[in-house]
Coordinates of all heavy atoms in Angstrom, one line a residue:
R22 N -8.5 6.9 -6.1 CA -9.2 7.9 -5.2 C -8.3 8.8 -4.5 O -8.7 9.4 -3.5 CB -10.0 7.1 -4.2 CG -11.2 6.3 -4.8 CD -12.1 5.7 -3.7 NE -11.8 6.1 -2.4 CZ -12.3 5.5 -1.3 NH1 -13.0 4.4 -1.4 NH2 -12.1 5.9 -0.1
E23 N -7.1 9.0 -5.0 CA -6.1 9.8 -4.3 C -6.6 11.2 -4.0 O -6.6 11.7 -2.9 CB -4.8 9.9 -5.1 CG -4.1 8.6 -5.2 CD -4.4 7.9 -6.5 OE1 -5.4 8.2 -7.1 OE2 -3.6 7.0 -6.9
G24 N -7.2 11.9 -5.1 CA -7.6 13.3 -4.9 C -8.8 13.4 -4.0 O -8.8 14.3 -3.1
E25 N -9.8 12.5 -4.2 CA -11.0 12.6 -3.3 C -10.6 12.3 -1.8 O -11.1 13.0 -0.9 CB -11.9 11.5 -3.8 CG -13.2 11.3 -3.0 CD -14.0 10.1 -3.4 OE1 -13.9 9.7 -4.6 OE2 -14.8 9.6 -2.6
D26 N -9.7 11.3 -1.6 CA -9.3 11.0 -0.2 C -8.5 12.1 0.4 O -8.7 12.5 1.6 CB -8.6 9.7 -0.2 CG -9.4 8.5 -0.4 OD1 -10.7 8.6 -0.4 OD2 -8.9 7.4 -0.6
L27 N -7.6 12.8 -0.4 CA -6.8 13.9 0.1 C -7.7 15.0 0.5 O -7.6 15.6 1.6 CB -5.8 14.3 -1.0 CG -5.0 15.6 -0.7 CD1 -4.1 15.3 0.6 CD2 -4.2 16.0 -1.9
L28 N -8.7 15.4 -0.3 CA -9.6 16.5 0.0 C -10.4 16.2 1.3 O -10.5 17.1 2.1 CB -10.5 16.8 -1.2 CG -9.8 17.3 -2.4 CD1 -10.8 17.4 -3.6 CD2 -9.2 18.7 -2.2
R29 N -10.9 15.0 1.4 CA -11.6 14.6 2.6 C -10.7 14.7 3.8 O -11.1 15.2 4.9 CB -12.2 13.2 2.4 CG -13.1 12.8 3.6 CD -13.7 11.4 3.5 NE -14.2 11.1 2.2 CZ -13.7 10.2 1.3 NH1 -12.6 9.6 1.6 NH2 -14.3 10.0 0.1
H30 N -9.5 14.2 3.7 CA -8.6 14.1 4.9 C -8.2 15.6 5.3 O -8.2 15.8 6.5 CB -7.3 13.4 4.5 CG -6.3 13.2 5.6 ND1 -6.5 12.2 6.6 CD2 -5.2 13.8 5.8 CE1 -5.5 12.3 7.4 NE2 -4.7 13.2 7.0
L31 N -8.0 16.5 4.4 CA -7.6 17.8 4.7 C -8.7 18.6 5.4 O -8.5 19.6 6.1 CB -7.1 18.6 3.5 CG -5.8 18.1 3.0 CD1 -5.4 18.8 1.7 CD2 -4.7 18.3 4.1
R32 N -10.0 18.2 5.3 CA -11.1 18.8 6.0 C -10.9 18.7 7.6 O -11.5 19.5 8.3 CB -12.4 18.3 5.6 CG -12.7 18.7 4.2 CD -14.2 18.4 3.8 NE -14.4 18.9 2.5 CZ -14.6 18.1 1.4 NH1 -14.6 16.8 1.5 NH2 -14.9 18.7 0.2
H33 N -10.1 17.8 8.0 CA -9.8 17.6 9.4 C -8.8 18.6 9.9 O -8.4 18.7 11.1 CB -9.3 16.2 9.7 CG -10.3 15.2 9.5 ND1 -11.4 14.9 10.3 CD2 -10.4 14.3 8.4 CE1 -12.1 13.9 9.7 NE2 -11.5 13.5 8.6
F34 N -8.2 19.5 9.0 CA -7.2 20.4 9.4 C -7.5 21.8 8.9 O -6.8 22.4 8.1 CB -5.8 20.0 8.8 CG -5.4 18.6 9.2 CD1 -5.8 17.5 8.5 CD2 -4.7 18.4 10.4 CE1 -5.4 16.2 8.9 CE2 -4.4 17.1 10.8 CZ -4.7 16.0 10.1
P35 N -8.6 22.4 9.4 CA -9.0 23.7 9.0 C -8.0 24.8 9.4 O -7.4 24.7 10.4 CB -10.4 23.9 9.7 CG -10.3 23.1 10.9 CD -9.5 21.9 10.5
G36 N -7.8 25.7 8.5 CA -6.9 26.8 8.8 C -5.4 26.5 8.5 O -4.6 27.4 8.6
R37 N -5.1 25.3 8.2 CA -3.7 25.0 7.9 C -3.4 25.0 6.4 O -4.2 24.6 5.6 CB -3.3 23.6 8.4 CG -3.3 23.5 9.8 CD -2.3 22.5 10.3 NE -2.4 22.3 11.7 CZ -2.2 21.2 12.3 NH1 -2.0 20.1 11.6 NH2 -2.3 21.1 13.6
E38 N -2.3 25.6 6.0 CA -1.9 25.7 4.6 C -0.9 24.6 4.2 O 0.1 24.4 4.9 CB -1.3 27.0 4.3 CG -2.2 28.2 4.4 CD -1.6 29.5 4.0 OE1 -1.2 29.5 2.8 OE2 -1.5 30.4 4.8
V39 N -1.2 23.9 3.1 CA -0.4 22.8 2.6 C 0.8 23.4 1.9 O 0.7 24.3 1.1 CB -1.2 21.9 1.7 CG1 -0.3 20.9 1.1 CG2 -2.3 21.2 2.4
E40 N 2.0 22.9 2.3 CA 3.2 23.3 1.6 C 3.6 22.4 0.5 O 3.9 22.8 -0.6 CB 4.4 23.4 2.6 CG 5.7 23.9 2.0 CD 6.8 24.2 3.0 OE1 6.6 23.9 4.2 OE2 7.8 24.6 2.6
V41 N 3.5 21.1 0.8 CA 3.9 20.1 -0.2 C 3.1 18.8 0.1 O 2.8 18.4 1.2 CB 5.4 19.8 -0.2 CG1 5.9 19.2 1.1 CG2 5.9 19.1 -1.4
V42 N 2.8 18.1 -1.0 CA 2.2 16.7 -1.0 C 3.2 15.8 -1.6 O 3.6 16.0 -2.7 CB 0.8 16.7 -1.7 CG1 0.2 15.3 -1.7 CG2 -0.1 17.7 -1.2
E43 N 3.5 14.7 -0.8 CA 4.5 13.7 -1.3 C 3.9 12.3 -1.1 O 3.2 12.0 -0.2 CB 5.8 13.8 -0.5 CG 6.5 15.2 -0.6 CD 7.6 15.3 0.4 OE1 7.4 14.9 1.6 OE2 8.6 15.9 0.0
E44 N 4.4 11.4 -2.0 CA 4.1 10.0 -1.9 C 5.3 9.3 -1.3 O 6.4 9.5 -1.8 CB 3.7 9.5 -3.3 CG 3.3 8.0 -3.2 CD 2.9 7.5 -4.6 OE1 2.4 8.3 -5.4 OE2 3.0 6.3 -4.8
Q45 N 5.0 8.6 -0.3 CA 6.1 7.8 0.4 C 6.3 6.5 -0.4 O 5.3 5.7 -0.6 CB 5.7 7.5 1.8 CG 6.7 6.8 2.6 CD 6.2 6.5 4.0 OE1 5.2 5.8 4.2 NE2 7.0 7.0 5.0
V46 N 7.5 6.3 -0.9 CA 7.8 5.1 -1.7 C 8.8 4.3 -1.0 O 9.9 4.8 -0.6 CB 8.3 5.6 -3.1 CG1 8.7 4.4 -4.0 CG2 7.4 6.5 -3.8
Y47 N 8.5 3.0 -0.9 CA 9.5 2.1 -0.3 C 10.7 1.8 -1.2 O 10.5 1.6 -2.4 CB 8.8 0.7 0.0 CG 9.8 -0.3 0.6 CD1 10.3 -0.2 1.9 CD2 10.2 -1.4 -0.1 CE1 11.1 -1.1 2.5 CE2 11.1 -2.3 0.4 CZ 11.6 -2.1 1.7 OH 12.4 -3.0 2.2
D48 N 11.9 2.0 -0.7 CA 13.1 1.8 -1.4 C 14.1 1.1 -0.5 O 14.7 1.7 0.3 CB 13.6 3.2 -1.9 CG 14.9 3.1 -2.7 OD1 15.4 2.0 -2.9 OD2 15.3 4.2 -3.2
P49 N 14.3 -0.2 -0.8 CA 15.2 -1.0 0.1 C 16.6 -0.5 0.1 O 17.4 -0.8 1.0 CB 15.0 -2.4 -0.4 CG 14.5 -2.3 -1.8 CD 13.7 -1.0 -1.8
E50 N 17.0 0.2 -1.0 CA 18.4 0.7 -1.1 C 18.6 2.0 -0.4 O 19.8 2.4 -0.1 CB 18.7 0.9 -2.6 CG 18.6 -0.4 -3.4 CD 19.6 -1.5 -3.0 OE1 20.7 -1.2 -2.7 OE2 19.1 -2.6 -2.9
H51 N 17.6 2.7 0.0 CA 17.7 4.0 0.7 C 18.0 3.7 2.1 O 17.5 2.8 2.8 CB 16.4 4.7 0.6 CG 16.5 6.2 1.0 ND1 16.4 6.6 2.3 CD2 16.6 7.3 0.2 CE1 16.5 7.9 2.3 NE2 16.7 8.3 1.1
P52 N 18.9 4.5 2.7 CA 19.3 4.3 4.1 C 18.1 4.3 5.1 O 18.2 3.5 6.1 CB 20.2 5.5 4.4 CG 20.7 6.0 3.1 CD 19.6 5.6 2.1
R53 N 17.1 5.0 4.8 CA 15.9 5.0 5.7 C 14.7 4.2 5.2 O 13.6 4.2 5.7 CB 15.4 6.5 6.0 CG 16.5 7.2 6.8 CD 15.9 8.6 7.2 NE 16.9 9.3 8.0 CZ 16.8 10.5 8.3 NH1 15.7 11.2 7.9 NH2 17.7 11.1 9.0

Side-chain angles (χ1 to χ4, degrees):
R22 290 187 13 193
E23 294 95 340
E25 177 185 335
D26 289 347
L27 174 62
L28 294 172
R29 184 180 313 112
H30 186 74
L31 288 176
R32 288 190 178 113
H33 296 286
F34 302 93
R37 293 212 184 143
E38 290 188 61
V39 174
E40 182 173 3
V41 68
V42 178
E43 299 169 317
E44 185 174 330
Q45 185 182 55
V46 180
Y47 178 72
D48 181 355
E50 301 299 318
H51 193 278
R53 293 188 178 171

